[in-house]
Amino acid sequence: GQQVMQIPQYQHVQEGEDFTTYCNSSTTLSNIQWYKQRPGGHPVFLIQLVKSGEVKKQKRLTFQFGEAKKNSSLHITATQTTDVGTYFCAGYNNAGNMLTFGGGTRLMVKP
Amino acid sequence: DAGITQSPRHKVTETGTPVTLRCHQTENHRYMYWYRQDPGHGLRLIHYSYGVKDTDKGEVSDGYSVSRSKTEDFLLTLESATSSQTSVYFCAISEYSSNEQFFGPGTRLTVL
């Protein structure tokens, strides 16, 4: 079945440093979504990418969808303590009926 | 936050007992999902529903059953709980297939 891998599993950064998490799928995705989960909380939707090569920005967050629609990345510029949490990518298969999540990248920010 | 509630929020039970978790939504969304979250595994889909009485299996459905008799309620049942089913369970909803999903607050289940 479809597998979605995410690296790194953990990342410690100093506040102000940049952060990137990478997502790779074993199959072509119809779209990819990113979620953030704060410690003790529930996943919260951040963004969805649909087109090959698409790039979207939300303030300090930049999301990319690969040309082959099998990989994606999330880059945070100048991290803040409010960025702490686990970031998940999740992809829909071409049937569009099931969302497969990556294992997540846990971001810790040292003030 | 979307109107999604889960009950109970915490439960401790013993191996072999039946357990039912409830997800209730006030958004009238068609799709509802049950996930489990375990360290190192992210979120894994157990079952999902695409309408009243319409359900299908997800990635890790063994040992779980679901029912949806009303649009707003989606029940997850563990017929005979095992320790491997100790996890945090999240319900999610979406208006359309392939759309963003909104998650409930989660239920922490411990099976002793």
Side-chain angles (χ1 to χ4, degrees), chain B residues 45-93:
Chain B
L45 182 65
I46 305 171
H47 283 279
Y48 68 99
S49 169
Y50 47 96
V52 173
K53 297 187 180 178
D54 291 324
T55 65
D56 206 348
K57 295 179 180 180
E59 180 187 359
V60 289
S61 59
D62 287 349
Y64 301 95
S65 63
V66 290
S67 66
R68 191 170 178 199
S69 58
K70 297 185 290 185
T71 298
E72 56 266 35
D73 289 326
F74 193 31
L75 304 180
L76 176 71
T77 297
L78 291 65
E79 302 289 347
S80 177
T82 67
S83 58
S84 65
Q85 293 175 313
T86 292
S87 186
V88 178
Y89 291 86
F90 286 101
C91 172
I93 64 174

Side-chain angles (χ1 to χ4, degrees), chain A residues 33 35 37 42 48 88 92 96, chain B residues 37 97-101 104:
Chain A
Q33 299 178 357
Y35 292 80
Q37 184 177 22
H42 58 274
Q48 175 170 284
F88 292 97
Y92 272 104
Chain B
Q37 184 172 37
S97 177
S98 297
N99 265 34
E100 65 201 86
Q101 295 187 8

Side-chain angles (χ1 to χ4, degrees), chain B residues 35-47:
Chain B
Y35 291 91
R36 60 177 291 172
Q37 184 172 37
D38 305 289
H41 289 278
L43 291 133
R44 292 181 291 174
L45 182 65
I46 305 171
H47 283 279

Side-chain angles (χ1 to χ4, degrees), chain A residues 41-84:
Chain A
H42 58 274
V44 175
F45 175 81
L46 293 176
I47 207 161
Q48 175 170 284
L49 305 171
V50 178
K51 299 177 184 177
S52 170
E54 189 170 11
V55 178
K56 286 189 176 181
K57 292 190 176 184
Q58 287 180 350
K59 296 183 181 178
R60 295 178 294 105
L61 279 60
T62 302
F63 303 84
Q64 292 188 318
F65 199 10
E67 293 290 341
K69 300 185 77 173
K70 293 181 72 175
N71 58 75
S72 182
S73 65
L74 158 59
H75 179 82
I76 302 178
T77 303
T79 54
Q80 300 175 358
T81 54
T82 54
D83 296 325
V84 164

